Amino acid sequence: MKKLFILSAIMMLGIMLSAQTQQGYVKTKGRLANDGSVIAGTRIPNATISVKGRTPVISQANGTFSFPIPADKFYLQNVQKQGYVLTDPEVLSKQYTYSANDLIIVMETPIKQWEDKHAAEHAMREQLQKQVDKQRIELEQLREEKRLNDEEYRKQLQHIFDLYDENDRLVSEMADEYSKIDYDQLDEYKRHIRQLILAGELTRADSLINSKGDMDQRISNLHKHQEANIKEAENLSKRQAQHQINLIGTQKELEDIASDCHFQFETCKLRHQFDSAAYWIEKKASLDSTKVEWALEAGDFIHEYLADYDKAFRIFQQALLKSESQYGEKNEITASCYYHLGYIQKELANYDKALEYYNKSASIYMSIDSIHPNLSSYYNNVGLLYDELEDYGKALENLEKSLSICKSVYGETHLEAAETYNNIGALYRELDSLDLALDNYHKASTILNALFNGNHQEAIVNSLNTGMVYFHQGNYIKALEYYEKGLTLQKNIYGDNHPNLGGIYSNIGSVYEELEDFPKSLEYQKQALNICKSFYGDIHPEVALCYNNIGTTYYYNNNYDSAFICLNKALSIFQTIYGESSSKVASLYSNIGVLYYRISDYESALKHYNNALSIQESILGENHSDVARTYNNLGNLYAKLNDFDNSLKCLNKALFIKKSIFGENHPQVALGYNNLGAMYCDMEDYGNALICFEKALEIRISVFGEDHPGVQRTRESVEKVKELMKTSKKE
């Protein structure tokens, strides 16, 4: 979970009182109905509001509260209510200024908050999918009209798929933002803009924004008004009252234009017009140089979407200077500036400099609060940095510190704690410590069950990831259990018609293939293909993967003609999308090579294996399971050609790679020993053959038990070699 955070300072105009008591209330969100009206939120009684340095207060029956503040600035330390969470946890890291207006704190139940995000995500995803489908149809029309050649078509089609993949992150980011909105606090104009953007009516949103006039002209007018205010300030003593009115008016004008700049930014972002989006977010930041958080927001977007790290770094440097000038060195916004500078240096692989900035940021947070909430993100990102440096000890140390702070601030049962457990689990997976990875995934699952009764989109991901670990361990029954759990959750949350079902069905089909239940495997694989084609059309990576999986199942079921048809369809789709240099294309070459081997066309098999190996080693490096699989295939092929020297080299290399990846006790390692045993039989070296077959048998019994078909076949190989040894001794 790589996270940047921006701290916001709320600036309010008004007359400061000498004895100040801040009033406020706690409520649920106002929501937007389908007809555009607002469903008002409700007040929440008995919520505990903790202000740093003050005794906690409890909201009354009507949700109201009040507390005295010693100065004009204050921080909320915590807000708690059984069964509720803050819709925006960043309220705990904001610096507040006393106001005569009510301080409004918005909370929701975790399930309702998730439902709001899911609804927003569904609406946005539906609109963005329509855009992608329209672009794909237009592209196909151009190719039919011969206005695009095949290479141009392939590149532009790939671009469309890249945009589709980018949509997942865009939709998630914007849905998270929209799920936090309290529509009770928005005027009719802003509600209307939000409604149009959520419905994908971006052109109407543009039109409504521009109905106030040309944006550049409005900004120009604002600058003129700001300049006029400066001149007015020179005669402040004569016109103090009028000057105060002008300031309030200009501030309102600034906030209004800033809001519209942000709306323009959002519409451009949804259209993937990232240069234009950057223009508007920079325009917003330029409106008020004192708004350090606006500069951080602009720099954030520029580095994240334009990858212009130098420009982002300059913006963050300027923000740091302004923050230190306005707030001093020991301030949360200053700490946030250092944090952003560290993140950019990390992206540029300047790890020493990144740590320097991160540590300055942490030093400030610690001076404010030894368990400041933002320290959790600091330790998390430092842990991920050490992970990139492959210093796994320090990586784990920092991730565990992140988890400790997260627990102390939010408690044991919090979504952020679940995400941190997942990060730790991912680290253990990198270390091939699959048992520890599972342990952390299970802890994340426990939290998700406590928060959402397991009925949450994160629980789907958790179940599928856990199942994947079990699959790689060769524990196929357990993998199937978690895949089916993920399938049930997927259907409960998203219904029976969702693209994610394709991947889940495919995973389940792969398990049945390993269990040699080929009819059931084929049933699930064909369901996956139908779903993927209905959502993505005929030319899409997911469709190609489905054809590959179906072809593999046909192969194991000895239906070679059907296997050839499916695998060649998959190869054609991958070549159309990615070109020749792709690990996916290499995998298809390898699979088709296996088919040629099975029908004894060894020349074609050798050609396909070598094509696969060349691509795999250039992309994946030598120590990869796909490379091991290809060496294994080459070893078997050379044995058939009686080239035992090359066969032995390839099979031993495959076994070495598999053991380094999976450890000794794994089905793939058993397969490696089995293949070596077969090769030694061909060489009539029955002593080594028996050693290899017995090792394969030992592993398969420990993984599958005594009754598995693979165990029976290996036992037969052992007995056959023993008979051959007796026969050879008699001779």
Side-chain angles (χ1 to χ4, degrees):
M1 179 184 60
K2 296 182 179 179
K3 182 184 293 183
L4 283 175
F5 45 85
I6 299 175
L7 299 170
S8 300
I10 297 180
M11 300 180 66
M12 297 185 178
L13 298 172
I15 300 172
M16 298 295 111
L17 304 177
S18 55
Q20 297 173 152
T21 299
Q22 181 66 56
Q23 308 285 337
Y25 57 90
V26 187
K27 66 184 289 288
T28 60
K29 288 183 298 188
R31 290 179 172 78
L32 200 61
N34 292 333
D35 62 1
S37 63
V38 175
I39 303 171
T42 58
R43 301 291 183 94
I44 300 176
N46 300 320
T48 302
I49 301 95
S50 301
V51 179
K52 189 173 182 181
R54 309 298 302 177
T55 302
V57 297
I58 308 295
S59 62
Q60 303 301 309
N62 62 356
T64 60
F65 61 85
S66 64
F67 51 81
I69 55 174
D72 61 340
K73 309 288 185 184
F74 64 94
Y75 294 90
L76 290 177
Q77 190 168 12
N78 205 355
V79 181
Q80 293 180 312
K81 163 72 177 178
Q82 182 69 30
Y84 287 80
V85 295
L86 290 166
T87 59
D88 184 5
E90 287 193 8
V91 299
L92 299 182
S93 55
K94 290 180 181 178
Q95 183 184 66
Y96 289 90
T97 302
Y98 166 80
S99 173
N101 297 323
D102 283 327
L103 173 62
I104 303 173
I105 299 174
V106 185
M107 304 185 80
E108 275 296 350
T109 64
I111 290 178
K112 191 64 180 174
Q113 182 69 2
W114 174 82
E115 288 175 348
D116 290 344
K117 180 179 178 182
H118 173 60
E121 185 171 348
H122 176 76
M124 291 179 184
R125 194 181 299 281
E126 187 175 41
Q127 296 302 323
L128 290 170
Q129 182 65 51
K130 288 179 181 178
Q131 293 181 30
V132 171
D133 290 342
K134 180 181 177 184
Q135 291 172 343
R136 184 160 56 87
I137 292 170
E138 291 172 351
L139 189 60
E140 290 171 355
Q141 182 68 33
L142 289 173
R143 186 172 69 164
E144 291 175 4
E145 295 171 358
K146 306 300 184 184
R147 294 164 67 185
L148 284 179
N149 60 35
D150 287 343
E151 180 63 15
E152 291 169 334
Y153 170 78
R154 185 184 69 76
K155 288 182 179 178
Q156 293 192 34
L157 183 65
Q158 178 61 46
H159 179 64
I160 290 174
F161 288 135
D162 289 342
L163 288 181
Y164 184 88
D165 292 337
E166 185 68 18
N167 282 345
D168 281 340
R169 182 173 63 177
L170 274 175
V171 166
S172 181
E173 289 175 352
M174 296 196 69
D176 184 65
E177 178 180 348
Y178 271 66
S179 70
K180 297 175 182 177
I181 295 172
D182 179 10
Y183 285 92
D184 287 337
Q185 299 186 57
L186 300 185
D187 60 31
E188 184 177 353
Y189 169 79
K190 291 178 182 177
R191 287 200 300 267
H192 195 183
I193 292 287
R194 295 285 188 188
Q195 184 183 18
L196 290 173
I197 291 175
L198 193 60
E201 297 184 47
L202 307 183
T203 302
R204 287 185 62 193
D206 283 342
S207 177
L208 185 56
I209 296 167
N210 292 326
S211 67
K212 296 183 179 181
D214 178 77
M215 186 68 75
D216 286 325
Q217 186 59 50
R218 290 170 67 192
I219 292 172
S220 176
N221 291 340
L222 172 64
H223 288 319
K224 289 177 182 178
H225 296 155
Q226 289 172 322
E227 291 172 4
N229 289 338
I230 293 172
K231 293 178 181 178
E232 282 289 294
E234 296 173 358
N235 301 311
L236 184 61
S237 59
K238 298 178 182 179
R239 302 169 55 217
Q240 183 65 46
Q242 185 61 46
H243 179 61
Q244 185 67 19
I245 293 172
N246 289 346
L247 280 177
I248 294 172
T250 302
Q251 180 68 18
K252 177 67 173 67
E253 188 178 14
L254 183 150
E255 292 172 355
D256 191 38
I257 292 176
S259 177
D260 286 346
C261 280
H262 196 84
F263 288 142
Q264 291 279 33
F265 161 73
E266 287 182 345
T267 59
C268 291
K269 187 177 176 183
L270 277 173
R271 290 186 176 113
H272 296 278
Q273 298 169 347
F274 296 141
D275 287 333
S276 297
Y279 171 84
W280 288 115
I281 202 66
E282 286 187 83
K283 279 289 185 184
K284 174 185 173 183
S286 72
L287 298 178
D288 188 346
S289 62
T290 67
K291 296 275 191 180
V292 178
E293 65 273 20
W294 289 1
L296 295 179
E297 184 181 27
D300 237 358
F301 180 81
I302 287 166
H303 90 73
E304 181 73 17
Y305 287 90
L306 302 185
D308 191 341
Y309 297 117
D310 290 337
K311 185 174 184 179
F313 190 74
R314 289 195 299 272
I315 291 174
F316 292 150
Q317 281 183 314
Q318 292 168 5
L320 175 63
L321 293 174
K322 290 174 185 175
S323 183
E324 288 181 331
S325 173
Q326 289 173 212
Y327 308 117
E329 292 186 358
K330 300 298 183 182
N331 179 272
E332 295 198 28
I333 298 179
T334 302
S336 182
C337 293
Y338 278 120
Y339 187 92
H340 282 74
L341 287 166
Y343 189 87
I344 294 296
Q345 291 299 319
K346 175 175 168 290
E347 292 297 299
L348 294 171
N350 297 327
Y351 298 123
D352 290 341
K353 200 68 181 174
L355 276 174
E356 180 183 334
Y357 283 121
Y358 277 154
N359 289 337
K360 285 183 179 178
S361 170
S363 175
I364 296 171
Y365 287 131
M366 288 177 181
S367 70
I368 296 170
D369 189 337
S370 61
I371 54 169
H372 193 285
N374 287 340
L375 286 172
S376 175
S377 293
Y378 156 76
Y379 284 118
N380 184 77
N381 280 278
V382 170
L384 295 174
L385 184 150
Y386 279 119
D387 185 21
E388 291 187 25
L389 292 172
E390 298 184 357
D391 188 340
Y392 299 121
K394 287 186 178 179
L396 184 60
E397 176 187 343
N398 280 276
L399 287 173
E400 288 179 340
K401 283 183 180 178
S402 173
L403 180 63
S404 175
I405 292 174
C406 179
K407 287 181 178 180
S408 66
V409 173
Y410 302 117
E412 291 277 347
T413 307
H414 192 275
L415 182 58
E416 182 129 347
E419 292 171 344
T420 307
Y421 277 124
N422 277 329
N423 278 342
I424 295 173
L427 177 61
Y428 280 124
R429 281 187 63 185
E430 286 186 58
L431 296 171
D432 288 330
S433 299
L434 298 183
D435 289 338
L436 288 172
L438 279 177
D439 181 56
N440 281 276
Y441 287 145
H442 288 162
K443 288 177 180 176
S445 176
T446 300
I447 293 172
L448 293 169
N449 285 331
L451 284 176
F452 308 106
N453 243 1
N455 194 32
H456 187 277
Q457 58 190 15
E458 283 296 324
I460 300 172
V461 176
N462 182 268
S463 294
L464 297 178
N465 285 342
T466 304
M468 197 172 297
V469 173
Y470 281 124
F471 185 88
H472 286 297
Q473 285 182 328
N475 190 342
Y476 302 121
I477 300 301
K478 203 73 174 173
L480 183 62
E481 175 188 331
Y482 278 90
Y483 286 156
E484 289 181 337
K485 179 181 178 183
L487 176 63
T488 301
L489 286 171
Q490 177 74 28
K491 287 184 175 181
N492 287 343
I493 294 173
Y494 295 105
D496 293 329
N497 192 33
H498 192 278
N500 288 352
L501 285 172
I504 301 175
Y505 282 135
S506 185
N507 286 348
I508 293 174
S510 296
V511 172
Y512 280 117
E513 182 181 292
E514 292 295 334
L515 295 173
E516 300 188 20
D517 187 342
F518 300 121
K520 209 156 194 176
S521 174
L522 203 57
E523 174 190 339
Y524 278 101
Q525 302 291 6
K526 286 184 175 180
Q527 285 187 71
L529 176 63
N530 291 334
I531 289 171
C532 289
K533 289 179 74 172
S534 70
F535 279 97
Y536 305 127
D538 290 331
I539 307 297
H540 191 277
E542 292 295 328
V543 175
L545 286 172
C546 289
Y547 277 121
N548 175 76
N549 293 340
I550 292 172
T552 303
T553 303
Y554 276 132
Y555 165 81
Y556 284 117
N557 209 21
N558 300 321
N559 187 343
Y560 302 132
D561 289 339
S562 296
F564 265 118
I565 292 171
C566 290
L567 292 178
N568 278 299
K569 279 185 180 179
L571 178 62
S572 176
I573 294 170
F574 278 143
Q575 287 173 327
T576 299
I577 296 171
Y578 300 114
E580 192 69 13
S581 184
S582 164
S583 61
K584 294 180 176 63
V585 171
S587 293
L588 262 300
Y589 276 131
S590 183
N591 289 346
I592 294 171
V594 171
L595 264 178
Y596 278 120
Y597 174 86
R598 181 60 68 92
I599 64 173
S600 302
D601 185 347
Y602 300 133
E603 183 179 347
S604 295
L606 183 61
K607 176 184 174 183
H608 281 77
Y609 288 159
N610 283 327
N611 284 344
L613 186 63
S614 175
I615 296 170
Q616 287 166 341
E617 289 189 328
S618 68
I619 295 173
L620 304 173
E622 289 193 355
N623 196 41
H624 193 278
S625 58
D626 286 354
V627 176
R629 192 174 298 112
T630 304
Y631 272 117
N632 185 82
N633 292 339
L634 280 167
N636 291 337
L637 177 59
Y638 281 125
K640 284 290 183 184
L641 297 172
N642 293 321
D643 186 348
F644 297 122
D645 287 341
N646 275 324
S647 176
L648 191 60
K649 287 178 184 177
C650 290
L651 292 176
N652 273 309
K653 186 152 190 174
L655 181 60
F656 176 80
I657 295 172
K658 288 178 179 180
K659 288 166 75 173
S660 70
I661 295 172
F662 302 117
E664 289 281 349
N665 199 45
H666 191 277
Q668 284 296 319
V669 176
L671 180 62
Y673 279 116
N674 192 82
N675 290 334
L676 270 172
M679 190 273 297
Y680 280 123
C681 275
D682 290 339
M683 295 173 63
E684 298 184 1
D685 184 349
Y686 300 126
N688 279 322
L690 182 61
I691 291 171
C692 290
F693 282 135
E694 287 181 337
K695 187 66 177 174
L697 179 62
E698 177 188 342
I699 295 171
R700 283 176 169 164
I701 290 174
S702 70
V703 173
F704 299 117
E706 292 282 351
D707 298 328
H708 189 270
V711 172
Q712 300 305 320
R713 287 195 297 270
T714 310
R715 197 185 299 281
E716 289 169 5
S717 296
V718 170
E719 295 304 320
K720 182 179 178 181
V721 171
K722 287 180 178 179
E723 287 298 322
L724 288 170
M725 290 177 72
K726 291 178 182 177
T727 303
S728 64
K729 286 179 180 178
K730 289 178 182 178
E731 294 175 354

